[in-house]
Amino acid sequence: MSEFTDVENNTELQFKFCWVTALRAEATPLIDAFNMKIVENKSLFPIYANEEKGHALVISGMGSIKSAAAATFLKNHLKINDHSAWINFGIAGFFKGPIGDIYQANKVVSKESGAAFFPGLRLSKLIPAAILFTVSKPENGYKEKVLYDMEAAGFCEMAPSFSCNELTYVIKIVSDTPSASSSLITKHLVRELIEKQLSKISDILAEIEILVEEEKKRLSIPNEVIEFEKRFKFTETNKYKFREIYRKWKVAFPSKRLDLSEFLNSQPKEIILRLEKEVLLNVEDWNAL
Amino acid sequence: MIETIFFEEEIYEHPTTERIRRALPRAGWVPIDRYQELFNKRHQNFKLQKKNPALILAKKYDNFVLPVPSGFGMDSHKNFYFSHMYNCLYDCKYCFLQGMYSSANFVLFVNYEDFFRSISEKIKKYKGQSLTFFSGYDCDSLAFDKLSGFANQALNFFNGLSNVELELRTKSIAIGSLLQREPLSNCVAAFSLSPAQVAKSLDSKAPSINRRISAIKQLADAGWKIGLRFDPLIYTSDWKELYSALFADIMNGLDPERIHSISYGPLRFPKKMYKKAASLHPEHKLFAFPMEETNGVVSYGTKIETQMHDFLKSELNNYISENKIFQCTI
């Protein structure tokens, strides 16, 4: 275990990017580039992270099921937020060269089940798109005009449920083609291919980060609400009502603060009623703009 | 600009697909089996998807034409609606589509001919009765028209049909397909409108009210029948002044004879849709108003609705006869 924050007791971790790679060779350039440290090395799926930079990474091993399982493990182990982006990253075969080109998969098909997935928002200005087939055995025929990997379909089956489909990405670097056999792939080559694309990867992350921040803002629960919910015993129904009326109250009175000291002897229902009353009184001056 | 087009392989050779292929030569084309593979699936995020929606070209197989829900307004004609598209280029905060679909991608059903066949069947079934067919329920009738070419084909179909009316409901100023031909006596170009300040805040990506009014006047001058749709009515402290000014702007220089009908309707959401829309725009004032919920419908409440109804009816009567004014209650 590293000096990493005690994740078991920390609910404040804010990872923006969660990487799922099949091979250590695919992970190493990312671990180095984003200065990630080992967090979990006793389980089947090693986890690396850099809390400050917002990166977490899990190495799944090869295969669709392992990719889904590793993503789930990472989600649970680091208690990843539901506004984080999930990226299945690695090398892939392609029907044409050159090797080293980077693609976003806009359609992922499991050749085993036939299921199709359409991960992510298109990042067309930054990266070309291609269809990707996830196969259960290495593909050396490159019969279709698509990328080939062994993990993405499993990842796509699971990752959208952790945040949403628009924050789920499959990004692949071409490692083998009909004229560059997969037998030539070495750890060194993988590292070299990925390192050459690190600048592009940074651009892609900057684009994804905008979406992550927007979702974070939309889903965040204000500290004032958390304070009140800690101090008062809201039933589930009242918690929902409180959050709703607080949201409306805050929009109506953006500069006001909900002061705990004003409610010390109040019941949850009374807090809700008071906020409702203040919002209602404001209707006469309502400006919908 | 549409960058990615998902197409059902079955309709790859369809003339509408071909038209779009010519119009968007640089888009990425991705084959699919059926549009439901990627449209409205679980875990999709409408708001994020709206940032860069893809176009899905599909074939519709059934339910081409449906009866309009009761309370839709207009008179006692038999009314039907049809949707050659799901979703809209615009991003209006109050739009029910964001509550209905988890997906913001546009679905265009390219087999217009099957819509027209189905409409013909309805006309045959209700022979001799006045029928109105509303386009633009699950989409905007004209916003996508430069690409889809739908309006022109619809106008060709409806041209000369007696006792049968077509309403093209829109916020768009893409009126070229109408202006390039003689007006159809049985077609209504119906524009959705709000006071300019309200539209500026709520009708994201849609043409400004001034441009919509200008399009209305161009069409009216060319002889087209105009529908004015004030739906939903949006409450603000100065709503009376805002709506009065809007009516004055519209009617200034517009021949009242060209107005086919005016309808208005209160802001209302089914509870589930309201919750979803509010969760997408938690910071927007539209969803911060203390709305009332009655029988699963979220609204401003009877008091405000009645005030708005009474005012609109009386104000609009200054411009147009009462029999052309309708209230929509859904």
Side-chain angles (χ1 to χ4, degrees):
Chain A
M1 206 65 166
S2 73
E3 299 159 1
F4 193 76
T5 310
D6 179 5
V7 295
E8 296 300 324
N9 297 313
N10 193 333
T11 54
E12 301 300 320
L13 301 181
Q14 297 281 339
F15 291 106
K16 295 174 191 168
F17 308 106
C18 298
W19 302 87
V20 181
T21 67
L23 308 171
R24 181 167 294 277
E26 295 167 322
T28 305
L30 299 175
I31 292 168
D32 292 347
F34 302 115
N35 200 20
M36 290 185 255
K37 301 277 185 279
I38 187 82
V39 175
E40 167 61 54
N41 58 6
K42 292 175 192 156
S43 73
L44 187 59
F45 305 119
I47 290 177
Y48 292 78
N50 181 335
E51 193 182 349
E52 214 169 277
K53 291 191 173 177
H55 288 265
L57 179 147
V58 64
I59 302 173
S60 68
M62 284 166 69
S64 213
I65 293 172
K66 281 187 178 173
S67 186
T72 308
F73 182 69
L74 175 60
K75 162 82 178 164
N76 292 332
H77 192 78
L78 291 189
K79 297 184 173 72
I80 302 291
N81 290 295
D82 46 10
H83 58 256
S84 302
W86 289 82
I87 307 168
N88 174 225
F89 177 79
I91 56 170
F94 201 31
F95 76 101
K96 65 172 185 178
I99 63 167
D101 276 2
I102 188 166
Y103 289 90
Q104 177 188 6
N106 55 8
K107 177 179 180 179
V108 172
V109 180
S110 164
K111 289 307 276 181
E112 206 157 67
S113 69
F117 307 92
F118 302 86
L121 273 190
R122 277 289 296 117
L123 305 169
S124 333
K125 289 183 179 70
L126 294 172
I127 180 171
I131 297 169
L132 183 149
F133 285 177
T134 295
V135 292
S136 51
K137 289 179 185 164
E139 169 69 37
N140 295 313
Y142 312 98
K143 288 172 197 148
E144 311 254 7
K145 293 179 176 178
V146 299
L147 293 159
Y148 291 93
D149 88 335
M150 295 176 70
E151 289 81 29
F155 169 81
C156 288
E157 182 104 46
M158 196 54 78
S161 65
F162 301 155
S163 53
C164 64
N165 191 60
E166 286 59 47
L167 290 175
T168 302
Y169 290 85
V170 175
I171 294 175
K172 300 286 173 177
I173 291 178
V174 178
S175 58
D176 49 289
T177 68
S179 57
S181 164
S182 59
S183 64
L184 300 174
I185 300 173
T186 61
K187 284 180 190 174
H188 179 73
L189 176 70
V190 173
R191 186 180 186 104
E192 192 181 302
L193 294 177
I194 295 174
E195 280 180 347
K196 279 185 183 167
Q197 291 290 359
L198 281 174
S199 159
K200 174 69 75 183
I201 290 166
S202 290
D203 294 344
I204 292 167
L205 293 182
E207 198 70 20
I208 295 174
E209 189 175 3
I210 295 169
L211 306 177
V212 169
E213 289 299 331
E214 191 170 308
E215 272 301 272
K216 182 181 168 184
K217 189 178 167 203
R218 186 176 76 85
L219 297 171
S220 68
I221 300 167
N223 286 337
E224 286 180 354
V225 171
I226 295 169
E227 274 176 31
F228 269 69
E229 289 179 357
K230 275 184 189 164
R231 173 68 180 75
F232 300 95
K233 282 188 179 168
F234 286 94
T235 61
E236 279 306 305
T237 309
N238 278 341
K239 188 191 269 190
Y240 172 76
K241 283 184 181 171
F242 173 63
R243 287 185 181 188
E244 261 304 281
I245 193 60
Y246 173 84
R247 178 182 67 75
K248 293 179 178 183
W249 180 84
K250 196 67 185 173
V251 173
F253 308 106
S255 58
K256 276 194 184 179
R257 261 195 63 78
L258 197 58
D259 191 347
L260 203 56
S261 64
E262 288 180 35
F263 294 93
L264 289 179
N265 296 317
S266 303
Q267 293 298 312
K269 272 187 182 173
E270 291 168 334
I271 302 169
I272 295 166
L273 280 172
R274 172 149 157 210
L275 296 185
E276 281 176 348
K277 197 176 163 188
E278 287 189 27
V279 173
L280 266 175
L281 283 172
N282 190 43
V283 163
E284 292 297 314
D285 300 319
W286 195 258
N287 178 350
L289 312 177
Chain B
M1 183 62 180
I2 288 164
E3 296 163 346
T4 307
I5 297 171
F6 296 96
F7 65 97
E8 292 181 358
E9 291 186 88
E10 190 188 345
I11 49 90
Y12 189 65
E13 304 289 340
H14 192 280
T16 306
T17 312
E18 181 56 36
R19 173 192 169 97
I20 291 167
R21 201 161 32 238
R22 282 198 308 271
L24 297 172
R26 297 176 70 182
W29 286 68
V30 183
I32 54 172
D33 290 331
R34 290 287 289 137
Y35 76 93
Q36 292 96 332
E37 277 182 90
L38 72 153
F39 184 74
N40 216 21
K41 301 280 281 186
R42 285 183 71 197
H43 306 305
Q44 291 191 334
N45 183 314
F46 187 96
K47 198 175 179 188
L48 294 185
Q49 209 173 89
K50 195 78 188 171
K51 289 176 177 294
N52 190 11
L55 172 62
I56 304 169
L57 301 179
K59 180 175 179 179
K60 194 165 175 68
Y61 285 89
D62 50 19
N63 297 322
F64 293 100
V65 181
L66 297 166
V68 299
S70 59
F72 192 68
M74 306 304 145
D75 51 24
S76 58
H77 294 172
K78 282 224 173 293
N79 294 330
F80 298 93
Y81 74 94
F82 61 93
S83 297
H84 69 291
M85 267 189 91
Y86 292 160
N87 275 331
C88 176
L89 284 178
Y90 310 138
D91 190 15
C92 303
K93 299 287 182 301
Y94 48 76
C95 182
F96 76 100
L97 293 171
Q98 66 192 332
M100 194 156 80
Y101 301 132
S102 61
S103 186
N105 288 333
F106 313 122
V107 180
L108 176 68
F109 296 109
V110 300
N111 52 324
Y112 307 154
E113 62 280 3
D114 291 322
F115 285 89
F116 302 143
R117 181 184 45 72
S118 184
I119 292 169
S120 294
E121 285 166 6
K122 293 282 185 242
I123 294 170
K124 199 172 165 187
K125 185 175 175 185
Y126 296 101
K127 198 175 175 184
Q129 297 187 48
S130 295
L131 307 179
T132 302
F133 292 88
F134 292 89
S135 162
Y137 192 77
D138 296 309
C139 63
D140 184 290
S141 293
L142 296 178
F144 219 71
D145 202 48
K146 280 184 186 163
L147 208 54
S148 72
F150 177 78
N152 200 39
Q153 292 192 39
L155 293 171
N156 286 342
F157 172 80
F158 277 90
N159 191 9
L161 292 177
S162 57
N163 270 349
V164 177
E165 211 164 58
L166 166 69
E167 175 174 312
L168 296 170
R169 188 170 293 196
T170 191
K171 288 185 180 124
S172 172
I173 54 168
I175 53 175
S177 55
L178 280 74
L179 288 177
Q180 71 187 6
R181 64 194 299 153
E182 287 298 308
L184 267 64
S185 59
N186 62 337
C187 175
V188 182
F191 284 79
S192 296
L193 300 147
S194 303
Q197 299 92 318
V198 173
K200 196 174 174 187
S201 168
L202 300 180
D203 296 3
S204 304
K205 301 181 184 173
S208 70
I209 290 300
N210 277 344
R211 297 178 77 194
R212 281 182 239 174
I213 292 174
S214 167
I216 288 169
K217 289 177 181 171
Q218 281 183 70
L219 285 169
D221 288 347
W224 288 87
K225 288 182 179 172
I226 300 297
L228 301 175
R229 308 288 173 249
F230 305 104
D231 185 0
L233 296 171
I234 303 295
Y235 177 85
T236 65
S237 54
D238 54 352
W239 63 271
K240 285 184 183 175
E241 292 80 14
L242 294 180
Y243 277 95
S244 283
L246 173 65
F247 300 154
D249 284 347
I250 295 167
M251 298 310 296
N252 179 22
L254 180 65
D255 178 2
E257 286 301 308
R258 296 260 53 90
I259 294 178
H260 166 274
S261 55
I262 298 179
S263 66
Y264 58 90
L267 179 72
R268 285 184 177 183
F269 296 93
K271 187 181 172 186
K272 204 174 157 190
M273 278 189 193
Y274 176 82
K275 278 171 81 170
K276 195 173 166 198
S279 79
L280 292 174
H281 308 287
E283 76 298 341
H284 203 284
K285 282 200 96 174
L286 184 72
F287 297 104
F289 191 88
M291 306 288 269
E292 292 179 13
E293 188 209 321
T294 312
N295 298 326
V297 175
V298 177
S299 70
Y300 286 130
T302 314
K303 189 180 163 195
I304 289 178
E305 281 189 0
T306 306
Q307 280 175 9
M308 295 185 98
H309 162 80
D310 293 348
F311 179 82
L312 258 85
K313 187 123 188 155
S314 130
E315 189 77 4
L316 289 167
N317 271 333
N318 295 330
Y319 298 102
I320 196 162
S321 64
E322 198 168 346
N323 63 350
K324 286 188 175 182
I325 302 170
F326 303 93
Q327 185 186 14
C328 179
T329 55
I330 57 164

